[in-house]
Structure formats: structure tokens, C-alpha cells
């Protein structure tokens, strides 16, 4: 089923053609505009059910599995096997995030909202991109926000991976980024019962 989405385009400030550095940028830096597709999906489930469906499709990243990489003669195939086993049914694992992200509203004197932020990804998928463009590491793992609005509707929000990573203009990165679009789309659709 096709996901109903609202797309917002965000333009980052700056221009690569500009001879001057953007305000506050270090000398000899480059700046260019990047267009990002931000997607918001309305869930057919309530907040708790959406969270449950989302989380059950994620594995959990264990940093202990990659510690041997910093030691002499790491067992690469064993490490890869451990990483593969950590992925959930979605192909993603959870790296962290902020549960009850909406509680931060209390710092502004507002009632707490229902919102969870998730940091999700897969190191083996990331590797397929960062080996070609290390700057991809700025954007992976990915982030997803699940929140409930004042009307009780739950929304899942994320930036489309291919729009984040298209700036690297590398076929190897683009191919994997489009695969990430599909995996993330499937995870969101399933979680939202679309």
C-alpha cells in the first residue's frame, strides 16, 4: 500500500559557488545547498500500538560486538555475523534515541507530549556507503520521530535517506540510499498499519 505523505523541502543555507565562507564557518570551508525530503506519515494506530509495532521490528545494537575491531587481528567474519544477527525483521537495529522525548516540553513550562526519537540503522549497510564516501557517516544511523498531536493522531517522521545522501553524488551511495528508502518505507508502513 502506498504511504500517504506530506513532503517538506528544506534548503540548507550557503552556496558552493560563493567565494566567501558562510558566517561562522572555518576558513577554507565549502558550503552548498542540500534539498531534503522530510516525510510525515499519519498512523492508523494509536501512539502505544505504533511504538510497539515499530520497536518489535528492530534489533538492538550491542557495541561489544565491534570492540575487537580496535584490537590486533580482529575476527572480521565473526564480527560481521554478530552484526547480522543483531538486525531485526526490518533489517534495522536500534542504536539509541530518547524515549519520552516529549517530556522535554516541560522545560518550556508546557505539558509533556507523547514523542519518542529513535536512532536506527545497520552498520553493514552503512559500510556499503562510507567505504566510498566517509561523509555519509554524518547521516547514518537514521532518525525517526514518533509523536502524537493534540488531536490524538500519531505521526511518524523521518528524512528520506536518498535525499540526505544524494548530496554525495556517488552511484554506490545512491544505490544503497534508495534501498534504505524502501526498507524505511516498509518499516513505517507496517508500524502505521497502512
Amino acid at each position: 500500500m502506498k504511504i500517504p505523505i506530506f513532503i517538506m523541502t528544506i534548503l540548507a543555507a550557503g552556496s558552493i559557488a560563493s567565494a566567501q565562507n558562510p558566517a561562522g564557518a572555518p576558513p577554507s570551508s565549502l558550503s552548498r545547498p542540500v534539498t531534503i525530503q522530510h516525510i510525515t506519515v499519519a498512523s492508523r494506530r494509536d501512539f502505544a500500538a505504533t511504538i510497539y509495532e515499530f520497536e518489535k521490528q528492530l534489533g538492538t545494537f550491542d557495541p561489544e560486538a565491534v570492540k575487537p575491531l580496535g584490537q590486533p587481528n580482529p575476527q572480521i567474519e565473526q564480527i560481521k555475523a554478530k552484526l547480522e544477527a543483531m538486525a531485526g525483521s526490518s533489517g534495522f537495529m536500534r542504536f539509541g534515541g530518547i524515549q519520552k522525548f516529549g517530556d522535554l516540553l516541560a522545560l518550556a513550562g508546557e505539558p509533556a507530549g507523547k514523542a519518542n526519537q529513535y536512532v536506527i540503522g545497520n552498520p553493514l549497510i552503512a559500510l556499503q556507503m562510507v567505504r566510498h564516501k566517509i561523509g555519509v557517516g554524518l547521516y547514518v544511523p537514521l532518525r525517526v520521530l514518533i509523536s502524537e498531536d493534540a488531536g490524538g493522531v500519531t505521526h511518524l517522521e523521518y528524512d528520506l535517506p536518498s535525499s540526505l545522501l544524494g548530496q554525495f553524488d556517488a552511484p554506490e551511495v545512491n544505490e544503497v540510499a534508495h534501498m534504505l528508502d524502501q526498507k524505511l518505507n516498509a518499516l513505517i508502513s507496517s508500524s502505521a498499519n497502512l
Side-chain angles (χ1 to χ4, degrees):
M1 178 176 248
K2 194 165 173 104
I3 290 184
I5 59 174
F6 304 96
I7 299 177
M8 172 177 52
T9 301
I10 303 169
L11 292 176
S15 169
I16 200 161
S18 173
Q20 296 184 2
N21 293 330
S28 302
S29 64
L30 294 175
S31 175
R32 65 180 180 271
V34 176
T35 300
I36 299 170
Q37 279 188 303
H38 181 81
I39 299 177
T40 300
V41 175
S43 179
R44 291 183 179 162
R45 294 186 164 108
D46 66 17
F47 182 78
T50 301
I51 293 291
Y52 174 79
E53 292 298 326
F54 184 80
E55 290 182 358
K56 83 175 188 181
Q57 297 177 72
L58 300 176
T60 302
F61 176 72
D62 179 3
E64 292 296 317
V66 294
K67 275 191 176 177
L69 289 174
Q71 300 170 1
N73 304 314
Q75 301 296 312
I76 299 298
E77 293 309 314
Q78 286 181 351
I79 295 169
K80 285 181 179 179
K82 286 180 182 178
L83 290 171
E84 285 174 10
M86 285 181 213
S89 60
S90 63
F92 294 115
M93 57 192 82
R94 199 168 157 181
F95 285 82
I98 303 174
Q99 298 298 313
K100 300 189 178 182
F101 192 78
D103 288 356
L104 290 175
L105 295 172
L107 295 174
E110 298 177 19
K114 291 183 179 178
N116 285 6
Q117 178 201 73
Y118 295 88
V119 179
I120 66 169
N122 185 319
L124 297 175
I125 295 174
L127 175 62
Q128 296 173 48
M129 297 180 288
V130 296
R131 64 188 298 194
H132 300 287
K133 295 285 184 174
I134 193 69
V136 168
L138 183 61
Y139 301 98
V140 294
L142 306 168
R143 282 172 176 67
V144 175
L145 181 72
I146 302 177
S147 63
E148 182 181 86
D149 67 19
V153 177
T154 297
H155 298 277
L156 299 94
E157 298 183 54
Y158 61 97
D159 293 329
L160 192 67
S162 61
S163 73
L164 286 171
L165 304 173
Q167 65 184 292
F168 294 100
D169 197 28
E172 303 89 353
V173 172
N174 291 339
E175 183 179 340
V176 178
H178 286 291
M179 181 264 293
L180 282 172
D181 290 352
Q182 293 171 359
K183 283 185 171 296
L184 193 51
N185 183 15
L187 172 60
I188 297 296
S189 293
S190 176
S191 302
N193 193 29
L194 299 180

PDB file of all heavy atoms in Angstrom, residues 100-137:
ATOM      1  N   LYS A 100      10.345   9.081  25.508  1.00  0.00           N
ATOM      2  CA  LYS A 100       9.639  10.193  26.149  1.00  0.00           C
ATOM      3  C   LYS A 100      10.280  11.528  25.792  1.00  0.00           C
ATOM      4  O   LYS A 100      10.451  12.413  26.629  1.00  0.00           O
ATOM      5  CB  LYS A 100       9.563   9.985  27.651  1.00  0.00           C
ATOM      6  CG  LYS A 100       8.818   8.705  28.010  1.00  0.00           C
ATOM      7  CD  LYS A 100       8.551   8.595  29.475  1.00  0.00           C
ATOM      8  CE  LYS A 100       7.767   7.321  29.746  1.00  0.00           C
ATOM      9  NZ  LYS A 100       7.435   7.153  31.138  1.00  0.00           N
ATOM     10  N   PHE A 101      10.654  11.671  24.524  1.00  0.00           N
ATOM     11  CA  PHE A 101      11.241  12.911  24.017  1.00  0.00           C
ATOM     12  C   PHE A 101      10.315  14.097  24.292  1.00  0.00           C
ATOM     13  O   PHE A 101      10.759  15.206  24.542  1.00  0.00           O
ATOM     14  CB  PHE A 101      11.480  12.761  22.503  1.00  0.00           C
ATOM     15  CG  PHE A 101      12.316  13.822  21.885  1.00  0.00           C
ATOM     16  CD1 PHE A 101      13.689  13.811  22.011  1.00  0.00           C
ATOM     17  CD2 PHE A 101      11.733  14.837  21.146  1.00  0.00           C
ATOM     18  CE1 PHE A 101      14.473  14.786  21.425  1.00  0.00           C
ATOM     19  CE2 PHE A 101      12.501  15.816  20.555  1.00  0.00           C
ATOM     20  CZ  PHE A 101      13.875  15.788  20.694  1.00  0.00           C
ATOM     21  N   GLY A 102       9.014  13.835  24.262  1.00  0.00           N
ATOM     22  CA  GLY A 102       8.024  14.886  24.510  1.00  0.00           C
ATOM     23  C   GLY A 102       8.089  15.462  25.915  1.00  0.00           C
ATOM     24  O   GLY A 102       7.587  16.562  26.164  1.00  0.00           O
ATOM     25  N   ASP A 103       8.722  14.738  26.850  1.00  0.00           N
ATOM     26  CA  ASP A 103       8.857  15.260  28.215  1.00  0.00           C
ATOM     27  C   ASP A 103       9.704  16.527  28.254  1.00  0.00           C
ATOM     28  O   ASP A 103       9.616  17.307  29.198  1.00  0.00           O
ATOM     29  CB  ASP A 103       9.473  14.206  29.138  1.00  0.00           C
ATOM     30  CG  ASP A 103       8.504  13.074  29.457  1.00  0.00           C
ATOM     31  OD1 ASP A 103       7.327  13.143  29.025  1.00  0.00           O
ATOM     32  OD2 ASP A 103       8.931  12.116  30.124  1.00  0.00           O
ATOM     33  N   LEU A 104      10.533  16.732  27.218  1.00  0.00           N
ATOM     34  CA  LEU A 104      11.359  17.943  27.174  1.00  0.00           C
ATOM     35  C   LEU A 104      10.514  19.217  27.154  1.00  0.00           C
ATOM     36  O   LEU A 104      10.982  20.281  27.548  1.00  0.00           O
ATOM     37  CB  LEU A 104      12.262  17.927  25.932  1.00  0.00           C
ATOM     38  CG  LEU A 104      13.391  16.908  25.933  1.00  0.00           C
ATOM     39  CD1 LEU A 104      14.110  16.915  24.599  1.00  0.00           C
ATOM     40  CD2 LEU A 104      14.374  17.197  27.054  1.00  0.00           C
ATOM     41  N   LEU A 105       9.256  19.111  26.702  1.00  0.00           N
ATOM     42  CA  LEU A 105       8.374  20.281  26.662  1.00  0.00           C
ATOM     43  C   LEU A 105       8.170  20.871  28.053  1.00  0.00           C
ATOM     44  O   LEU A 105       7.896  22.064  28.203  1.00  0.00           O
ATOM     45  CB  LEU A 105       7.030  19.919  26.023  1.00  0.00           C
ATOM     46  CG  LEU A 105       7.089  19.524  24.551  1.00  0.00           C
ATOM     47  CD1 LEU A 105       5.742  19.000  24.079  1.00  0.00           C
ATOM     48  CD2 LEU A 105       7.536  20.698  23.698  1.00  0.00           C
ATOM     49  N   ALA A 106       8.322  20.050  29.078  1.00  0.00           N
ATOM     50  CA  ALA A 106       8.165  20.537  30.449  1.00  0.00           C
ATOM     51  C   ALA A 106       9.203  21.616  30.772  1.00  0.00           C
ATOM     52  O   ALA A 106       8.961  22.492  31.604  1.00  0.00           O
ATOM     53  CB  ALA A 106       8.274  19.385  31.436  1.00  0.00           C
ATOM     54  N   LEU A 107      10.352  21.573  30.086  1.00  0.00           N
ATOM     55  CA  LEU A 107      11.379  22.606  30.305  1.00  0.00           C
ATOM     56  C   LEU A 107      10.900  23.978  29.857  1.00  0.00           C
ATOM     57  O   LEU A 107      11.410  24.996  30.298  1.00  0.00           O
ATOM     58  CB  LEU A 107      12.668  22.245  29.555  1.00  0.00           C
ATOM     59  CG  LEU A 107      13.394  20.988  30.028  1.00  0.00           C
ATOM     60  CD1 LEU A 107      14.561  20.662  29.099  1.00  0.00           C
ATOM     61  CD2 LEU A 107      13.889  21.171  31.462  1.00  0.00           C
ATOM     62  N   ALA A 108       9.910  24.002  28.963  1.00  0.00           N
ATOM     63  CA  ALA A 108       9.344  25.263  28.481  1.00  0.00           C
ATOM     64  C   ALA A 108       8.047  25.589  29.213  1.00  0.00           C
ATOM     65  O   ALA A 108       7.322  26.502  28.828  1.00  0.00           O
ATOM     66  CB  ALA A 108       9.090  25.187  26.979  1.00  0.00           C
ATOM     67  N   GLY A 109       7.745  24.839  30.265  1.00  0.00           N
ATOM     68  CA  GLY A 109       6.540  25.082  31.038  1.00  0.00           C
ATOM     69  C   GLY A 109       5.283  24.575  30.367  1.00  0.00           C
ATOM     70  O   GLY A 109       4.179  24.958  30.737  1.00  0.00           O
ATOM     71  N   GLU A 110       5.430  23.692  29.379  1.00  0.00           N
ATOM     72  CA  GLU A 110       4.278  23.144  28.667  1.00  0.00           C
ATOM     73  C   GLU A 110       4.029  21.716  29.128  1.00  0.00           C
ATOM     74  O   GLU A 110       4.930  21.060  29.654  1.00  0.00           O
ATOM     75  CB  GLU A 110       4.541  23.161  27.157  1.00  0.00           C
ATOM     76  CG  GLU A 110       4.731  24.550  26.597  1.00  0.00           C
ATOM     77  CD  GLU A 110       5.062  24.532  25.114  1.00  0.00           C
ATOM     78  OE1 GLU A 110       4.794  23.503  24.457  1.00  0.00           O
ATOM     79  OE2 GLU A 110       5.571  25.547  24.623  1.00  0.00           O
ATOM     80  N   PRO A 111       2.815  21.213  28.920  1.00  0.00           N
ATOM     81  CA  PRO A 111       2.565  19.812  29.279  1.00  0.00           C
ATOM     82  C   PRO A 111       3.420  18.878  28.438  1.00  0.00           C
ATOM     83  O   PRO A 111       3.680  19.161  27.260  1.00  0.00           O
ATOM     84  CB  PRO A 111       1.074  19.611  28.949  1.00  0.00           C
ATOM     85  CG  PRO A 111       0.517  20.939  28.608  1.00  0.00           C
ATOM     86  CD  PRO A 111       1.647  21.880  28.368  1.00  0.00           C
ATOM     87  N   ALA A 112       3.837  17.798  29.041  1.00  0.00           N
ATOM     88  CA  ALA A 112       4.632  16.805  28.306  1.00  0.00           C
ATOM     89  C   ALA A 112       3.805  16.229  27.173  1.00  0.00           C
ATOM     90  O   ALA A 112       2.598  16.059  27.296  1.00  0.00           O
ATOM     91  CB  ALA A 112       5.091  15.702  29.251  1.00  0.00           C
ATOM     92  N   GLY A 113       4.454  15.967  26.060  1.00  0.00           N
ATOM     93  CA  GLY A 113       3.778  15.365  24.914  1.00  0.00           C
ATOM     94  C   GLY A 113       4.248  13.933  24.732  1.00  0.00           C
ATOM     95  O   GLY A 113       5.236  13.508  25.314  1.00  0.00           O
ATOM     96  N   LYS A 114       3.521  13.211  23.916  1.00  0.00           N
ATOM     97  CA  LYS A 114       3.927  11.838  23.605  1.00  0.00           C
ATOM     98  C   LYS A 114       4.812  11.890  22.368  1.00  0.00           C
ATOM     99  O   LYS A 114       4.339  12.202  21.272  1.00  0.00           O
ATOM    100  CB  LYS A 114       2.708  10.965  23.340  1.00  0.00           C
ATOM    101  CG  LYS A 114       1.864  10.694  24.566  1.00  0.00           C
ATOM    102  CD  LYS A 114       0.710   9.768  24.220  1.00  0.00           C
ATOM    103  CE  LYS A 114      -0.139   9.471  25.439  1.00  0.00           C
ATOM    104  NZ  LYS A 114      -1.292   8.611  25.073  1.00  0.00           N
ATOM    105  N   ALA A 115       6.087  11.606  22.540  1.00  0.00           N
ATOM    106  CA  ALA A 115       7.032  11.607  21.418  1.00  0.00           C
ATOM    107  C   ALA A 115       8.258  10.784  21.790  1.00  0.00           C
ATOM    108  O   ALA A 115       8.814  10.953  22.875  1.00  0.00           O
ATOM    109  CB  ALA A 115       7.449  13.028  21.061  1.00  0.00           C
ATOM    110  N   ASN A 116       8.654   9.896  20.893  1.00  0.00           N
ATOM    111  CA  ASN A 116       9.873   9.105  21.056  1.00  0.00           C
ATOM    112  C   ASN A 116      10.755   9.323  19.840  1.00  0.00           C
ATOM    113  O   ASN A 116      10.272   9.283  18.706  1.00  0.00           O
ATOM    114  CB  ASN A 116       9.566   7.614  21.156  1.00  0.00           C
ATOM    115  CG  ASN A 116       8.982   7.198  22.487  1.00  0.00           C
ATOM    116  OD1 ASN A 116       8.693   8.016  23.338  1.00  0.00           O
ATOM    117  ND2 ASN A 116       8.792   5.904  22.662  1.00  0.00           N
ATOM    118  N   GLN A 117      12.024   9.546  20.082  1.00  0.00           N
ATOM    119  CA  GLN A 117      13.002   9.664  19.000  1.00  0.00           C
ATOM    120  C   GLN A 117      13.814   8.369  18.960  1.00  0.00           C
ATOM    121  O   GLN A 117      14.244   7.878  20.004  1.00  0.00           O
ATOM    122  CB  GLN A 117      13.937  10.843  19.256  1.00  0.00           C
ATOM    123  CG  GLN A 117      15.009  11.001  18.190  1.00  0.00           C
ATOM    124  CD  GLN A 117      16.183  11.802  18.701  1.00  0.00           C
ATOM    125  OE1 GLN A 117      16.976  11.310  19.501  1.00  0.00           O
ATOM    126  NE2 GLN A 117      16.283  13.033  18.251  1.00  0.00           N
ATOM    127  N   TYR A 118      14.018   7.852  17.746  1.00  0.00           N
ATOM    128  CA  TYR A 118      14.782   6.623  17.569  1.00  0.00           C
ATOM    129  C   TYR A 118      15.973   6.868  16.648  1.00  0.00           C
ATOM    130  O   TYR A 118      15.847   7.576  15.650  1.00  0.00           O
ATOM    131  CB  TYR A 118      13.913   5.520  16.945  1.00  0.00           C
ATOM    132  CG  TYR A 118      12.790   5.085  17.851  1.00  0.00           C
ATOM    133  CD1 TYR A 118      11.570   5.744  17.820  1.00  0.00           C
ATOM    134  CD2 TYR A 118      12.966   4.041  18.751  1.00  0.00           C
ATOM    135  CE1 TYR A 118      10.537   5.363  18.657  1.00  0.00           C
ATOM    136  CE2 TYR A 118      11.943   3.652  19.593  1.00  0.00           C
ATOM    137  CZ  TYR A 118      10.724   4.319  19.545  1.00  0.00           C
ATOM    138  OH  TYR A 118       9.712   3.947  20.384  1.00  0.00           O
ATOM    139  N   VAL A 119      17.100   6.273  16.986  1.00  0.00           N
ATOM    140  CA  VAL A 119      18.286   6.275  16.128  1.00  0.00           C
ATOM    141  C   VAL A 119      18.430   4.829  15.656  1.00  0.00           C
ATOM    142  O   VAL A 119      18.678   3.930  16.469  1.00  0.00           O
ATOM    143  CB  VAL A 119      19.536   6.746  16.890  1.00  0.00           C
ATOM    144  CG1 VAL A 119      20.758   6.719  15.987  1.00  0.00           C
ATOM    145  CG2 VAL A 119      19.314   8.156  17.459  1.00  0.00           C
ATOM    146  N   ILE A 120      18.233   4.613  14.346  1.00  0.00           N
ATOM    147  CA  ILE A 120      18.204   3.253  13.813  1.00  0.00           C
ATOM    148  C   ILE A 120      19.122   3.126  12.599  1.00  0.00           C
ATOM    149  O   ILE A 120      19.380   4.101  11.902  1.00  0.00           O
ATOM    150  CB  ILE A 120      16.782   2.804  13.439  1.00  0.00           C
ATOM    151  CG1 ILE A 120      16.235   3.630  12.270  1.00  0.00           C
ATOM    152  CG2 ILE A 120      15.856   2.878  14.638  1.00  0.00           C
ATOM    153  CD1 ILE A 120      14.944   3.085  11.675  1.00  0.00           C
ATOM    154  N   GLY A 121      19.591   1.930  12.361  1.00  0.00           N
ATOM    155  CA  GLY A 121      20.427   1.703  11.192  1.00  0.00           C
ATOM    156  C   GLY A 121      20.959   0.288  11.191  1.00  0.00           C
ATOM    157  O   GLY A 121      20.454  -0.590  11.896  1.00  0.00           O
ATOM    158  N   ASN A 122      21.996   0.102  10.398  1.00  0.00           N
ATOM    159  CA  ASN A 122      22.649  -1.196  10.311  1.00  0.00           C
ATOM    160  C   ASN A 122      24.091  -0.928   9.863  1.00  0.00           C
ATOM    161  O   ASN A 122      24.303  -0.420   8.760  1.00  0.00           O
ATOM    162  CB  ASN A 122      21.928  -2.093   9.293  1.00  0.00           C
ATOM    163  CG  ASN A 122      22.493  -3.484   9.240  1.00  0.00           C
ATOM    164  OD1 ASN A 122      23.699  -3.678   9.287  1.00  0.00           O
ATOM    165  ND2 ASN A 122      21.617  -4.472   9.122  1.00  0.00           N
ATOM    166  N   PRO A 123      25.087  -1.246  10.701  1.00  0.00           N
ATOM    167  CA  PRO A 123      26.477  -0.959  10.353  1.00  0.00           C
ATOM    168  C   PRO A 123      26.928  -1.601   9.043  1.00  0.00           C
ATOM    169  O   PRO A 123      27.751  -1.033   8.326  1.00  0.00           O
ATOM    170  CB  PRO A 123      27.284  -1.525  11.526  1.00  0.00           C
ATOM    171  CG  PRO A 123      26.328  -1.624  12.651  1.00  0.00           C
ATOM    172  CD  PRO A 123      24.976  -1.844  12.043  1.00  0.00           C
ATOM    173  N   LEU A 124      26.377  -2.766   8.715  1.00  0.00           N
ATOM    174  CA  LEU A 124      26.784  -3.437   7.486  1.00  0.00           C
ATOM    175  C   LEU A 124      26.234  -2.715   6.256  1.00  0.00           C
ATOM    176  O   LEU A 124      26.873  -2.703   5.200  1.00  0.00           O
ATOM    177  CB  LEU A 124      26.348  -4.905   7.511  1.00  0.00           C
ATOM    178  CG  LEU A 124      26.991  -5.734   8.625  1.00  0.00           C
ATOM    179  CD1 LEU A 124      26.416  -7.139   8.655  1.00  0.00           C
ATOM    180  CD2 LEU A 124      28.510  -5.766   8.483  1.00  0.00           C
ATOM    181  N   ILE A 125      25.055  -2.096   6.396  1.00  0.00           N
ATOM    182  CA  ILE A 125      24.519  -1.282   5.303  1.00  0.00           C
ATOM    183  C   ILE A 125      25.311   0.023   5.214  1.00  0.00           C
ATOM    184  O   ILE A 125      25.684   0.458   4.122  1.00  0.00           O
ATOM    185  CB  ILE A 125      23.017  -1.003   5.505  1.00  0.00           C
ATOM    186  CG1 ILE A 125      22.225  -2.315   5.427  1.00  0.00           C
ATOM    187  CG2 ILE A 125      22.509  -0.002   4.463  1.00  0.00           C
ATOM    188  CD1 ILE A 125      20.750  -2.184   5.766  1.00  0.00           C
ATOM    189  N   ALA A 126      25.600   0.634   6.356  1.00  0.00           N
ATOM    190  CA  ALA A 126      26.377   1.880   6.367  1.00  0.00           C
ATOM    191  C   ALA A 126      27.741   1.673   5.719  1.00  0.00           C
ATOM    192  O   ALA A 126      28.221   2.520   4.959  1.00  0.00           O
ATOM    193  CB  ALA A 126      26.540   2.385   7.799  1.00  0.00           C
ATOM    194  N   LEU A 127      28.353   0.534   5.987  1.00  0.00           N
ATOM    195  CA  LEU A 127      29.668   0.222   5.441  1.00  0.00           C
ATOM    196  C   LEU A 127      29.672   0.266   3.916  1.00  0.00           C
ATOM    197  O   LEU A 127      30.644   0.704   3.296  1.00  0.00           O
ATOM    198  CB  LEU A 127      30.119  -1.161   5.921  1.00  0.00           C
ATOM    199  CG  LEU A 127      31.419  -1.695   5.339  1.00  0.00           C
ATOM    200  CD1 LEU A 127      32.590  -0.785   5.706  1.00  0.00           C
ATOM    201  CD2 LEU A 127      31.670  -3.119   5.801  1.00  0.00           C
ATOM    202  N   GLN A 128      28.570  -0.177   3.304  1.00  0.00           N
ATOM    203  CA  GLN A 128      28.481  -0.174   1.851  1.00  0.00           C
ATOM    204  C   GLN A 128      28.577   1.238   1.269  1.00  0.00           C
ATOM    205  O   GLN A 128      28.908   1.408   0.101  1.00  0.00           O
ATOM    206  CB  GLN A 128      27.159  -0.806   1.396  1.00  0.00           C
ATOM    207  CG  GLN A 128      27.023  -2.270   1.763  1.00  0.00           C
ATOM    208  CD  GLN A 128      25.640  -2.779   1.427  1.00  0.00           C
ATOM    209  OE1 GLN A 128      25.137  -2.556   0.333  1.00  0.00           O
ATOM    210  NE2 GLN A 128      25.022  -3.465   2.373  1.00  0.00           N
ATOM    211  N   MET A 129      28.282   2.259   2.107  1.00  0.00           N
ATOM    212  CA  MET A 129      28.339   3.644   1.641  1.00  0.00           C
ATOM    213  C   MET A 129      29.593   4.372   2.106  1.00  0.00           C
ATOM    214  O   MET A 129      30.256   5.038   1.320  1.00  0.00           O
ATOM    215  CB  MET A 129      27.085   4.397   2.104  1.00  0.00           C
ATOM    216  CG  MET A 129      25.799   3.842   1.514  1.00  0.00           C
ATOM    217  SD  MET A 129      24.323   4.731   2.069  1.00  0.00           S
ATOM    218  CE  MET A 129      24.213   4.179   3.776  1.00  0.00           C
ATOM    219  N   VAL A 130      29.918   4.244   3.398  1.00  0.00           N
ATOM    220  CA  VAL A 130      31.048   5.017   3.935  1.00  0.00           C
ATOM    221  C   VAL A 130      32.375   4.582   3.335  1.00  0.00           C
ATOM    222  O   VAL A 130      33.324   5.369   3.309  1.00  0.00           O
ATOM    223  CB  VAL A 130      31.118   4.988   5.481  1.00  0.00           C
ATOM    224  CG1 VAL A 130      29.899   5.644   6.088  1.00  0.00           C
ATOM    225  CG2 VAL A 130      31.296   3.590   6.020  1.00  0.00           C
ATOM    226  N   ARG A 131      32.443   3.381   2.810  1.00  0.00           N
ATOM    227  CA  ARG A 131      33.689   2.958   2.161  1.00  0.00           C
ATOM    228  C   ARG A 131      33.943   3.763   0.892  1.00  0.00           C
ATOM    229  O   ARG A 131      35.069   3.844   0.427  1.00  0.00           O
ATOM    230  CB  ARG A 131      33.687   1.464   1.891  1.00  0.00           C
ATOM    231  CG  ARG A 131      32.619   1.026   0.906  1.00  0.00           C
ATOM    232  CD  ARG A 131      32.505  -0.456   0.799  1.00  0.00           C
ATOM    233  NE  ARG A 131      33.746  -1.028   0.320  1.00  0.00           N
ATOM    234  CZ  ARG A 131      33.879  -2.253  -0.119  1.00  0.00           C
ATOM    235  NH1 ARG A 131      32.832  -3.049  -0.124  1.00  0.00           N
ATOM    236  NH2 ARG A 131      35.015  -2.697  -0.549  1.00  0.00           N
ATOM    237  N   HIS A 132      32.881   4.353   0.329  1.00  0.00           N
ATOM    238  CA  HIS A 132      33.019   5.182  -0.872  1.00  0.00           C
ATOM    239  C   HIS A 132      33.055   6.672  -0.539  1.00  0.00           C
ATOM    240  O   HIS A 132      33.765   7.434  -1.187  1.00  0.00           O
ATOM    241  CB  HIS A 132      31.871   4.901  -1.842  1.00  0.00           C
ATOM    242  CG  HIS A 132      31.829   3.482  -2.297  1.00  0.00           C
ATOM    243  ND1 HIS A 132      32.738   2.955  -3.191  1.00  0.00           N
ATOM    244  CD2 HIS A 132      31.003   2.455  -1.942  1.00  0.00           C
ATOM    245  CE1 HIS A 132      32.462   1.679  -3.391  1.00  0.00           C
ATOM    246  NE2 HIS A 132      31.429   1.347  -2.636  1.00  0.00           N
ATOM    247  N   LYS A 133      32.273   7.063   0.479  1.00  0.00           N
ATOM    248  CA  LYS A 133      32.201   8.471   0.894  1.00  0.00           C
ATOM    249  C   LYS A 133      32.083   8.508   2.414  1.00  0.00           C
ATOM    250  O   LYS A 133      31.001   8.284   2.971  1.00  0.00           O
ATOM    251  CB  LYS A 133      30.992   9.177   0.264  1.00  0.00           C
ATOM    252  CG  LYS A 133      31.042   9.309  -1.252  1.00  0.00           C
ATOM    253  CD  LYS A 133      32.037  10.392  -1.652  1.00  0.00           C
ATOM    254  CE  LYS A 133      32.006  10.586  -3.164  1.00  0.00           C
ATOM    255  NZ  LYS A 133      32.838  11.706  -3.587  1.00  0.00           N
ATOM    256  N   ILE A 134      33.164   8.808   3.090  1.00  0.00           N
ATOM    257  CA  ILE A 134      33.163   8.769   4.558  1.00  0.00           C
ATOM    258  C   ILE A 134      32.189   9.781   5.154  1.00  0.00           C
ATOM    259  O   ILE A 134      31.655   9.585   6.244  1.00  0.00           O
ATOM    260  CB  ILE A 134      34.600   8.959   5.123  1.00  0.00           C
ATOM    261  CG1 ILE A 134      34.666   8.609   6.616  1.00  0.00           C
ATOM    262  CG2 ILE A 134      35.095  10.381   4.881  1.00  0.00           C
ATOM    263  CD1 ILE A 134      34.481   7.158   6.914  1.00  0.00           C
ATOM    264  N   GLY A 135      31.892  10.860   4.422  1.00  0.00           N
ATOM    265  CA  GLY A 135      30.960  11.877   4.902  1.00  0.00           C
ATOM    266  C   GLY A 135      29.560  11.355   5.146  1.00  0.00           C
ATOM    267  O   GLY A 135      28.780  11.980   5.876  1.00  0.00           O
ATOM    268  N   VAL A 136      29.225  10.203   4.566  1.00  0.00           N
ATOM    269  CA  VAL A 136      27.920   9.580   4.804  1.00  0.00           C
ATOM    270  C   VAL A 136      27.732   9.324   6.300  1.00  0.00           C
ATOM    271  O   VAL A 136      26.613   9.334   6.812  1.00  0.00           O
ATOM    272  CB  VAL A 136      27.787   8.270   3.988  1.00  0.00           C
ATOM    273  CG1 VAL A 136      26.580   7.449   4.428  1.00  0.00           C
ATOM    274  CG2 VAL A 136      27.700   8.586   2.498  1.00  0.00           C
ATOM    275  N   GLY A 137      28.840   9.148   7.012  1.00  0.00           N
ATOM    276  CA  GLY A 137      28.783   8.898   8.447  1.00  0.00           C
ATOM    277  C   GLY A 137      28.100   9.998   9.233  1.00  0.00           C
ATOM    278  O   GLY A 137      27.671   9.788  10.364  1.00  0.00           O
TER     279      GLY A 137
END
